[in-house]
Amino acid sequence: MDDIINSAVLHGYLQSKATLVPQLRQNLSDGNTVRLATAGHRLYGSGATYGMRPISAIGANMERAAQKGDIARLAQLITALEQFITNKMNTL
């Protein structure tokens, strides 16, 4: 029973992060590195809370890239986030 609940919670978390991806892409298109840094920081924390180390690592790297204004790296990280979420949701 706990596995079912944990899977449902994790699925809900991943769905919420999947809906974040278009917003991240829009912020990237707008050059809004402040919002991307904030989103990265939140991903770092929430990924750690849910035991999603890859999301946490992507978030930390996104925050750093945004602070540096590294748009190319941010684009790579957003794609990596989207791919991780898709792959993980397919295994639940």
Side-chain angles (χ1 to χ4, degrees), residues 76-91:
Q76 292 171 342
L77 291 164
I78 292 168
T79 298
L81 176 65
E82 184 175 41
Q83 290 173 344
F84 175 80
I85 291 167
T86 299
N87 292 338
K88 192 67 176 173
M89 286 181 74
N90 288 335
T91 64

Side-chain angles (χ1 to χ4, degrees), residues 3-82:
D3 288 343
I4 294 170
I5 292 169
N6 289 339
S7 180
V9 169
L10 186 56
H11 187 70
Y13 171 73
L14 291 170
Q15 280 184 319
S16 74
K17 298 307 130 197
T19 63
L20 178 64
V21 171
Q23 295 169 18
L24 295 174
R25 290 198 190 286
Q26 184 61 53
N27 288 329
L28 183 66
S29 178
D30 295 343
N32 194 333
T33 56
V34 172
R35 284 194 179 182
L36 288 165
T38 300
H41 184 80
R42 289 180 179 160
L43 285 168
Y44 172 70
S46 68
T49 299
Y50 283 88
M52 296 274 92
R53 288 186 182 129
I55 290 179
S56 190
I58 289 168
N61 286 318
M62 185 181 297
E63 183 177 17
R64 281 192 293 274
Q67 290 168 344
K68 292 178 183 177
D70 190 344
I71 299 298
R73 181 69 176 136
L74 285 164
Q76 292 171 342
L77 291 164
I78 292 168
T79 298
L81 176 65
E82 184 175 41

